[in-house]
Amino acid sequence: MKDKKNFYLTTAITYTSGKPHIGNTYEIVLSDAIVRHKRQEGYNTYFQTGTDEHGIKIEKKAKEAGLEPKAYVDKVSAEVKRIWDLMDTSYDHFIRTTDEYHVKQVQKVFKKLYDQGDIYLDYYEGYYCDACESFFTESQLVDGKCPDCGGEVHLAKEEAYFFKLSKYQDRLLQYYNDHPEFIEPESRKNEMINNFLKPGLQDLCVSRTSFKWSIPVDFNPKHVVYVWIDALINYITGIGYDVDGHNGELYNEFWPADVHVIGKDIVRFHTIYWPILLMALDLPLPKQVFGHPWLLMGESKMSKHLGNVIYADDLVEMFGVDAVRYYLLHEIPYDNDGSITWDLLIERINGDLANILGNLVNRTLAMSNKYFGGIVEDRGVSEPVDEELKQTALNMVPKFNKLMDEYKLAKAIDEIFVLLRRTNKYIDDTTPWVLAKDESQKDRLATVLYNLTEAIRFAAITLESIMPSTSKKILDMINTDQRDLLKLDTFGLYQSGTKVTDHPEVLFARLDPKEVMAKVEKLNPPKPVVEKKKTPEITIDDFGKMELVVGEVVKCEKHPNADKLLVSQINVGEETKQIVSGIADAYKPEDFVGTKVIVVNNLKPAKLRGVESQGMILAGGKGKKLKVATADLPVGTIIH
């Protein structure tokens, strides 16, 4: 049975479609900070992360890369792990959904649910988003697009297994009511209730036959398991869950999870599909699902398509691991999206880390070495100003702990900096350089430097979960073994008479904005401006040679040898012409029939990929945004 002092946290497993950007990386850093703090509080923690490696999107990406799917995901998974390690994250287990144990358990789960009637075979017809690998009903679409990613959807029909979500709907809603803390922030819970549970759950399609790169349904191998069922089960297979009841020690010790840390865009999968799946397996539900906000680039979501992606390793090379961790954890609020800009990064590093934190530590160490040969001693010569510093330190700790336990890390960090600012002000209030000129004030000067060092110790211990390397450097430089968070209820435990380092390290150097922006330009060189070729002028006589006529598409089908081409039969009045056009990305053959288009009617016939084309359709744009020119005029009308 799980002990109250055990704490199990998981991240969402990272999809192996490509290298994770800094927005993806935020989640592992956030989770690491939460777990590190729990360890400081005395919990026995288990921290799991990993990679999600199946699905049609991976199959396509591997093909584009000229690799077999397994070789492709091996490469991407290794890159994910490299970045997680680079960010100094202290996970206990990195699971991959291609791990043999996981694959076997997913198959056994699927079979168990089928045998007990929670999964059944039928046909599915609906709108499918390739990017999200999800089916949607028409009512769930937003402006005809995928409600999750905003991408294109297409009608699809296939034989599939279904999971009876509807059977558990009322039970799930009751669970929400009985466990109000289950979904955080609360706004995410309201979305699930209003958008999915109240309208009524549809049974979930949980298998595919249209691709192969996934876990096979072992009793019907033409089907593969839906990627989200596969992915969600990792939270229990990774700690040794066994369908047959032979669970590993980790499962018995740590399940149910204390929190699943996930992005706000996948809350539905984790708070509807996942708890219902666990109910069907008769397993305890996780205690909480925390749907964190996004990190935006300026005001836009990061996207390779938009060209605004930043990667963690590039940031680390420029600013260092702890500076990047600090920025991520401080700039993303609990329930609102955060933003990353180069200007704000520089401001935070120069202002918070170099000036407030780094300068405080270095000034204090420098004065201890200058005035006392590095010996820090409490000589008990106190003044009223000391009490304010001590109370600020003592009050900071419970506030910090509470906010960390509520996953409000940005506010928790602010509490540390309240202490750091007050400690800097304490230097101004006590003016050690003035005290040093008066031999009779030497004991008072020693006490001031002791109080400064002790306040720094408080800050450094609480910073361990945020900036672990920086925390250790500070505690090492003040040469203390008093590093227990739980003992920060007494001011004055720093060992009097300790010698601090005489070679203090500069924790954070101030950045020159011009130098940083020069590096940024090298990182993202501006794309060369391609001069548009000037279209040669034509005369009215040239234009007069072209006959433009209104035609109506009476038949349309895909080109037999080219995915991007459609072959249309177009009535132009006196005859029907066959025209081949590169519009398949934007138009489905069945939707194009009946469209009135403008045709270049006297174009010399030509063969396109083996099929004759007897004209041209006027169109503009590119890819899915391409539009044909239409005309609300009778068929055969000449355009002048």
Side-chain angles (χ1 to χ4, degrees):
M1 182 178 290
K2 181 169 179 174
D3 188 279
K4 288 183 179 179
K5 269 295 188 180
N6 285 344
F7 183 83
Y8 177 33
L9 177 147
T10 72
T11 70
I13 48 177
T14 302
Y15 200 49
T16 47
S17 55
K19 180 179 179 178
H21 56 62
I22 192 63
N24 308 134
T25 307
Y26 164 65
E27 184 173 297
I28 188 75
V29 173
L30 169 68
S31 300
D32 180 67
I34 293 169
V35 171
R36 283 179 181 272
H37 181 254
K38 285 296 180 183
R39 291 194 196 111
Q40 284 187 295
E41 290 185 309
Y43 284 82
N44 176 33
T45 63
Y46 198 78
F47 176 15
Q48 180 171 293
T49 188
T51 44
D52 179 5
E53 303 184 11
H54 292 123
I56 190 171
K57 193 173 180 180
I58 302 297
E59 193 172 79
K60 289 179 178 178
K61 288 276 187 180
K63 187 176 181 181
E64 290 169 6
L67 296 170
E68 289 298 315
K70 183 60 166 64
Y72 177 80
V73 296
D74 284 349
K75 183 178 179 181
V76 178
S77 182
E79 179 68 358
V80 172
K81 194 172 186 298
R82 181 187 73 83
I83 292 174
W84 283 193
D85 292 340
L86 174 70
M87 294 309 300
D88 199 8
T89 59
S90 56
Y91 56 86
D92 296 288
H93 182 48
F94 189 98
I95 189 173
R96 299 180 57 187
T97 56
T98 51
D99 289 345
E100 186 178 350
Y101 181 82
H102 173 80
V103 169
K104 291 297 181 187
Q105 291 301 321
V106 169
Q107 290 178 320
K108 287 161 75 172
V109 165
F110 200 95
K111 181 67 162 60
K112 176 182 173 67
L113 296 178
Y114 177 76
D115 289 343
Q116 67 189 38
D118 282 314
I119 286 179
Y120 61 92
L121 187 63
D122 204 336
Y123 282 89
Y124 194 91
E125 185 169 10
Y127 292 92
Y128 189 69
C129 173
D130 285 335
C132 296
E133 303 188 21
S134 297
F135 273 105
F136 299 96
T137 63
E138 187 169 7
S139 64
Q140 290 174 323
L141 301 180
V142 177
D143 297 327
K145 303 289 180 68
C146 172
D148 287 342
C149 73
E152 298 292 332
V153 295
H154 58 87
L155 279 170
K157 181 178 181 179
E158 60 180 272
E159 182 185 81
Y161 287 94
F162 289 81
F163 178 38
K164 291 182 179 178
L165 291 182
S166 54
K167 173 181 172 181
Y168 295 91
Q169 175 174 312
D170 293 343
R171 183 173 163 187
L172 180 61
L173 193 54
Q174 186 61 49
Y175 189 86
Y176 282 9
N177 292 333
D178 294 343
H179 300 83
E181 74 291 346
F182 179 58
I183 305 174
E184 288 291 338
E186 188 164 347
S187 58
R188 313 271 190 257
K189 178 173 73 175
N190 296 334
E191 288 173 16
M192 296 305 105
I193 292 173
N194 295 328
N195 296 347
F196 296 99
L197 289 175
K198 282 187 176 177
L201 290 178
Q202 303 291 319
D203 287 352
L204 178 67
C205 179
V206 291
S207 75
R208 299 287 185 268
T209 58
S210 54
F211 61 94
K212 292 297 182 187
W213 180 242
S214 195
I215 297 175
V217 175
D218 54 0
F219 58 89
N220 191 350
K222 75 175 182 178
H223 289 260
V224 294
V225 177
Y226 173 50
V227 68
W228 271 106
I229 298 297
D230 164 19
L232 290 165
I233 292 172
N234 96 88
Y235 302 129
I236 50 178
T237 60
I239 53 172
Y241 169 73
D242 176 64
V243 178
D244 299 327
H246 307 300
N247 299 322
E249 289 183 14
L250 285 174
Y251 177 84
N252 294 329
E253 188 175 1
F254 286 101
W255 190 257
D258 291 87
V259 62
H260 293 314
V261 178
I262 59 163
K264 65 179 183 178
D265 52 328
I266 54 173
V267 169
R268 171 166 57 98
F269 302 96
H270 286 79
T271 61
I272 294 179
Y273 301 170
W274 179 226
I276 288 179
L277 184 59
L278 290 168
M279 287 174 179
L281 292 170
D282 196 26
L283 297 176
L285 272 57
K287 294 179 181 178
Q288 194 169 73
V289 177
F290 175 43
H292 66 74
W294 287 336
L295 177 65
L296 305 178
M297 182 60 192
E299 297 182 358
S300 303
K301 186 179 178 185
M302 280 190 205
S303 158
K304 290 180 183 177
H305 174 70
L306 295 175
N308 64 353
V309 169
I310 302 175
Y311 295 105
D313 46 358
D314 292 327
L315 288 176
V316 167
E317 186 175 344
M318 285 194 280
F319 307 114
V321 172
D322 275 9
V324 177
R325 284 179 63 110
Y326 175 81
Y327 186 92
L328 291 176
L329 297 173
H330 185 259
E331 294 306 314
I332 303 183
Y334 173 69
D335 53 2
N336 292 308
D337 293 338
S339 176
I340 184 169
T341 67
W342 297 109
D343 289 344
L344 192 54
L345 253 170
I346 295 167
E347 182 184 323
R348 286 286 177 252
I349 293 169
N350 284 348
D352 295 359
L353 301 183
N355 283 0
I356 296 173
L357 173 60
N359 193 38
L360 170 63
V361 173
N362 278 279
R363 287 172 77 190
T364 301
L365 290 170
M367 288 188 292
S368 293
N369 280 295
K370 181 177 181 180
Y371 301 135
F372 295 101
I375 303 297
V376 178
E377 189 175 3
D378 182 7
R379 297 187 184 175
V381 182
S382 297
E383 293 186 2
V385 69
D386 300 354
E387 289 307 309
E388 187 180 343
L389 176 67
K390 292 176 183 179
Q391 283 306 310
T392 302
L394 291 168
N395 292 340
M396 178 272 288
V397 178
K399 290 178 183 177
F400 172 80
N401 288 338
K402 182 176 184 294
L403 289 165
M404 288 294 289
D405 289 339
E406 294 172 349
Y407 311 141
K408 296 175 181 175
L409 276 70
K411 289 184 177 180
I413 292 169
D414 285 341
E415 292 299 328
I416 301 175
F417 274 77
V418 167
L419 173 60
L420 291 171
R421 287 185 176 90
R422 183 65 193 86
T423 310
N424 274 307
K425 186 174 183 298
Y426 180 77
I427 296 178
D428 297 334
D429 291 341
T430 56
T431 58
W433 53 91
V434 175
L435 295 174
K437 294 176 182 178
D438 185 347
E439 187 64 27
S440 68
Q441 293 291 325
K442 196 155 189 179
D443 287 348
R444 173 59 184 156
L445 175 60
T447 302
V448 165
L449 292 174
Y450 176 88
N451 289 339
L452 285 170
T453 306
E454 175 69 333
I456 288 169
R457 185 179 74 90
F458 268 65
I461 290 171
T462 49
L463 278 171
E464 196 280 333
S465 56
I466 311 301
M467 298 188 289
S469 176
T470 300
S471 169
K472 184 177 185 303
K473 284 177 185 176
I474 295 171
L475 293 169
D476 286 349
M477 286 194 292
I478 65 174
N479 193 23
T480 181
D481 56 3
Q482 299 292 330
R483 305 185 181 198
D484 190 344
L485 178 71
L486 299 180
K487 291 183 179 178
L488 290 185
D489 56 357
T490 303
F491 191 96
L493 295 184
Y494 181 75
Q495 185 66 46
S496 181
T498 299
K499 187 179 189 306
V500 299
T501 183
D502 53 3
H503 291 92
E505 180 180 346
V506 175
L507 296 174
F508 298 96
R510 283 188 58 82
L511 301 171
D512 181 331
K514 290 182 180 178
E515 290 181 5
V516 172
M517 294 315 297
K519 291 179 182 178
V520 171
E521 286 184 16
K522 286 183 179 179
L523 193 63
N524 298 302
K527 294 180 181 178
V529 177
V530 179
E531 288 190 21
K532 188 177 179 182
K533 291 183 180 179
K534 190 173 180 180
T535 305
E537 292 181 345
I538 62 171
T539 66
I540 190 68
D541 291 334
D542 293 325
F543 182 76
K545 295 176 184 178
M546 187 164 52
E547 182 180 283
L548 303 179
V549 62
V550 176
E552 182 174 359
V553 181
V554 294
K555 184 180 178 182
C556 184
E557 57 192 6
K558 290 184 177 179
H559 192 292
N561 303 315
D563 292 340
K564 293 185 180 295
L565 300 179
L566 295 183
V567 181
S568 304
Q569 307 300 321
I570 301 177
N571 175 13
V572 293
E574 296 179 355
E575 61 179 320
T576 296
K577 288 198 166 191
Q578 176 172 282
I579 297 179
V580 179
S581 46
I583 59 173
D585 283 345
Y587 293 90
K588 296 175 186 175
E590 61 270 23
D591 294 340
F592 199 44
V593 174
T595 303
K596 285 187 175 180
V597 296
I598 299 174
V599 174
V600 181
N601 198 34
N602 59 336
L603 190 68
K604 184 179 180 180
K607 283 197 173 183
L608 298 180
R609 299 293 293 271
V611 175
E612 185 176 60
S613 182
Q614 300 164 335
M616 180 184 291
I617 298 169
L618 296 190
K622 188 177 181 182
K624 293 180 179 179
K625 294 185 178 180
L626 182 144
K627 298 285 184 184
V628 298
T630 60
D632 189 18
L633 293 169
V635 171
T637 301
I638 302 295
I639 304 295
H640 298 287

